[in-house]
Amino acid sequence: MSRDARWKALLDLLVERGRLDVEEAAADLAVSAATIRRDFDQLAEQQMLVRTRGGAVVHGVSYELPLRYKTARHASEKQRIAKAVAELVAPGEAVGLTGGTTTTEVARALAVRSDLTSGTPALTIVTNALNIANELAVRPQFKIVLTGGVARPQSYELVGPLAGGCSRRSPSTWRCSAWSPST
């Protein structure tokens, strides 16, 4: 098993169980305890987990893996979903997108649609996701509206009363809104 495959397996087990000990992980992956200790140390250096005596726990209080790890999980499925969702959106509409890896793929699918390369605006994107706003801000045909709020480092989302207030007043024309103000 390659190091990358082992790290993916360790992170998947960690998300599933919340904590792992060295011996248990070594048995699950059929590798030595020393290998798992080194893996845990290297993953801790990248802030993907927190080392504990004899094991590891998920990084952070929220028990979520960072977005950079989630992005690679089920990438082809997310892209397929994103393409289907993007096809539902008509030029000139307002689209609400929350943060998340699948909605980021929706934004990317919208960005490459040939019928959305011009217009004033071709689309209005209302989002609480800093990464989505950042990717689409360089495309002048899109009007980008950020909800406001406090940045959530695990997901790059803006949360709090400002973001929640915007989502409660969302227009009925939004085609793929997935607001979740309680996050």
Side-chain angles (χ1 to χ4, degrees), residues 104-172:
T104 298
E105 290 300 327
V106 170
R108 290 175 180 153
L110 290 168
V112 298
R113 269 195 30 195
S114 61
D115 62 330
L116 297 177
T117 57
S118 63
T120 54
L123 281 181
T124 299
I125 305 291
V126 181
T127 186
N128 69 332
L130 295 169
N131 63 315
I132 290 173
N134 184 54
E135 281 198 37
L136 296 179
V138 298
R139 301 180 187 276
Q141 73 273 25
F142 293 150
K143 178 180 179 181
I144 310 301
V145 179
L146 279 165
T147 61
V150 177
R152 188 169 182 258
Q154 298 92 336
S155 62
Y156 305 121
E157 292 175 286
L158 297 172
V159 297
L162 287 173
C166 180
S167 68
R168 285 189 289 279
R169 290 187 293 277
S170 60
S172 60

Side-chain angles (χ1 to χ4, degrees), residues 33-107:
T35 297
I36 296 297
R37 281 188 202 93
R38 281 190 301 274
D39 288 346
F40 280 173
D41 289 341
Q42 291 169 341
L43 288 167
E45 284 176 23
Q46 294 183 34
Q47 298 182 348
M48 299 293 276
L49 55 78
V50 175
R51 280 291 265 135
T52 61
R53 182 181 169 119
V57 295
V58 178
H59 185 271
V61 177
S62 68
Y63 291 102
E64 287 186 36
L65 287 172
L67 192 61
R68 66 180 180 260
Y69 173 73
K70 290 183 191 179
T71 299
R73 295 178 69 192
H74 311 292
S76 62
E77 290 92 341
K78 292 174 187 181
Q79 290 164 355
R80 193 171 59 250
I81 292 165
K83 185 174 187 241
V85 170
E87 289 172 1
L88 298 173
V89 178
E93 287 190 318
V95 179
L97 296 173
T98 58
T101 55
T102 304
T103 51
T104 298
E105 290 300 327
V106 170

